[in-house]
Amino acid sequence: MPGLVPYHVTIVGAGIAGLTAACALAQRGARVRVLERAGALREVGAGIQVSPNAVRVLAALGLWSRFEAISLGSEQVQMRNAQGDLVARLDLARYRPKDHFRLVHRARLVEMLETAAHEAGVEIQLGHEIRDLPQDCDLVIGADGVKSVLRPLCNGFEAPFFTGQTAWRTLIPETGTPEPVAQVFMGPGRHIVSYPLPNGLRNIVAVMERPDWQEEGWSHPGDPDDLRAAFAGFRGPVPGWLAEVSEVRLWGLFRHEVATNWYRLPENGGPALVLIGDAAHPTLPFMAQGAVMAIEDAWLLAACLGSGRELVAALDHFKTLRLPRCQRIVGAANDNARNYHLRGPVRMVAHAGLRTLSRIAPAELIGRFAWLYDYDPTAEGV
């Protein structure tokens, strides 16, 4: 039986982080309110990959059957060069058969979490712009994303660093029965990630190094012809996919430091404040762990708050549990930003090494990620 959370909690942001936290806290007895600036939880975003470390949390929340119904299983990750030749294969189904790697549309996941939160008694207020910290609660959770208005209350002004990379994101129709695999096509200075989604869709994310930049955030409209021109030299299925693109969004990729301060103590009788998800540790999209870290955060914050510790001690323990892991994941994503875009002799050597390892020791290749996928937030001692 999980420990009860004896607090009135206000969560700012009704995305994956905020709604998962709402479910986890409400199930532990907390009085929970979610404030969201948007007037509706609209059909936004595209595909995301959810690895077993986060699936374990969804299962512990009693949501596995619902999540299974809205997602697809992913059996492999294939890494290919720009010509479409296989460089390495991570055979997830063979070497991690008991684990669930899933592919899902972000909007479907948010929809599922919203329903579960309502069922748990969570109050969700839409169209609620946050300008000041709510005072009628014990704790405010900042789950308001990479452009968090609450993070500066803990950390002051911080300037993100532009990586020199711009990304496009789009969905196209998927015909037939696609392979249940995620594919990465790597070329000099650019790469494409693609995988199928339920309901006849395919997700595409394309990243290119370029000297100009776009505003951070992935809702800016782009030109499909620019995307096709940037990846005109790619082969395999890529030209066919890009020919189907009719609408695309783009954004500049910025690096943020993991927050130094994850929480703020109560002031003048007001609530404490704690950050989760992208508000605490924005990450580049090269480890497919942004949403996953948010789900991990949500479970462990609820567990810490229900541990019997005083509020501030619980928040401090939450940071102690999360900071090293989030720093490691963000660092690995930063490294992949370089590894996917290698050029010249370095690229040839690196790809040759991956081919050899994939052929003679495929289990070892997957084993390099055991630290990531073996982690079980629900088994963490709090």
Side-chain angles (χ1 to χ4, degrees):
M1 173 68 68
L4 293 177
V5 176
Y7 301 118
H8 177 197
V9 180
T10 296
I11 299 173
V12 178
I16 293 171
L19 290 173
T20 307
C23 292
L25 288 163
Q27 288 186 13
R28 291 174 179 262
R31 180 183 169 195
V32 183
R33 171 181 61 182
V34 178
L35 305 180
E36 167 58 43
R37 65 181 297 180
L41 299 185
R42 299 183 300 270
E43 182 91 7
V44 297
I48 56 174
Q49 301 178 67
V50 182
S51 51
N53 37 315
V55 174
R56 295 180 187 110
V57 171
L58 298 178
L61 293 172
L63 299 175
W64 163 246
S65 60
R66 298 186 193 186
F67 182 61
E68 184 182 27
I70 64 170
S71 61
L72 293 177
S74 179
E75 296 181 1
Q76 289 184 9
V77 177
Q78 297 176 357
M79 304 179 71
R80 299 179 177 273
N81 61 24
Q83 290 70 48
D85 303 319
L86 186 66
V87 175
R89 177 188 292 112
L90 278 68
D91 196 335
L92 306 173
R94 179 178 179 184
Y95 293 105
R96 300 190 67 99
K98 296 182 180 180
D99 288 331
H100 297 292
F101 293 83
R102 309 295 294 184
L103 309 170
V104 66
H105 194 296
R106 182 184 296 270
R108 299 287 77 75
L109 178 56
V110 168
E111 186 179 79
M112 182 197 79
L113 292 169
E114 180 190 15
T115 299
H118 278 303
E119 292 172 352
V122 174
E123 177 189 2
I124 300 177
Q125 297 181 11
L126 303 177
H128 197 111
E129 187 80 31
I130 293 294
R131 292 184 174 86
D132 299 303
L133 202 65
Q135 298 296 305
D136 58 342
C137 57
D138 303 305
L139 174 66
V140 175
I141 299 175
D144 52 340
V146 68
K147 293 186 177 182
S148 172
V149 299
L150 297 181
R151 175 167 168 152
L153 298 181
C154 295
N155 293 275
F157 174 77
E158 300 166 297
F161 169 75
F162 179 53
T163 64
Q165 299 176 343
T166 298
W168 292 267
R169 184 189 292 271
T170 188
L171 293 172
I172 61 171
E174 177 67 79
T175 58
T177 304
E179 286 188 287
V181 302
Q183 299 181 73
V184 183
F185 293 81
M186 304 172 291
R190 66 202 70 197
H191 79 278
I192 287 182
V193 179
S194 183
Y195 47 84
L197 294 172
N199 301 316
L201 295 173
R202 171 168 288 277
N203 189 67
I204 296 174
V205 178
V207 179
M208 176 184 177
E209 296 175 9
R210 50 193 286 185
D212 59 344
W213 62 275
Q214 298 290 335
E215 185 179 351
E216 191 172 22
W218 42 265
S219 62
H220 308 288
D223 187 339
D225 287 336
D226 290 342
L227 170 60
R228 284 186 276 267
F231 291 86
F234 279 55
R235 298 293 179 259
V238 173
W241 291 340
L242 298 186
E244 295 291 324
V245 175
S246 60
E247 182 179 355
V248 69
R249 302 285 174 171
L250 79 164
W251 77 106
L253 298 182
F254 288 75
R255 281 178 56 177
H256 301 250
E257 296 298 327
V258 175
T260 301
N261 300 312
W262 286 47
Y263 65 91
R264 192 183 77 172
L265 302 179
E267 295 182 352
N268 302 319
L273 169 64
V274 64
L275 306 174
I276 65 172
D278 282 348
H281 43 71
T283 183
L284 295 176
F286 302 137
M287 286 292 288
Q289 291 291 300
V292 170
M293 283 194 289
I295 292 170
E296 291 181 355
D297 283 353
W299 175 271
L300 284 168
L301 177 59
C304 289
L305 293 172
S307 66
R309 294 177 173 84
E310 294 294 331
L311 177 58
V312 174
L315 298 180
D316 192 62
H317 189 57
F318 168 68
K319 177 186 175 182
T320 298
L321 289 174
R322 296 302 295 153
L323 180 60
R325 178 167 172 82
C326 292
Q327 287 177 327
R328 186 175 183 183
I329 292 172
V330 170
N334 293 342
D335 290 342
N336 272 354
R338 296 185 295 269
N339 296 337
Y340 286 167
H341 295 182
L342 298 175
R343 293 176 166 87
V346 174
R347 174 173 176 266
M348 295 175 62
V349 170
H351 284 198
L354 282 173
R355 284 193 185 93
T356 300
L357 187 60
S358 183
R359 185 178 66 255
I360 68 174
E364 181 181 337
L365 185 61
I366 295 177
R368 292 182 174 185
F369 300 98
W371 66 272
L372 186 62
Y373 301 140
D374 284 349
Y375 181 67
D376 185 354
T378 70
E380 185 77 72
V382 296

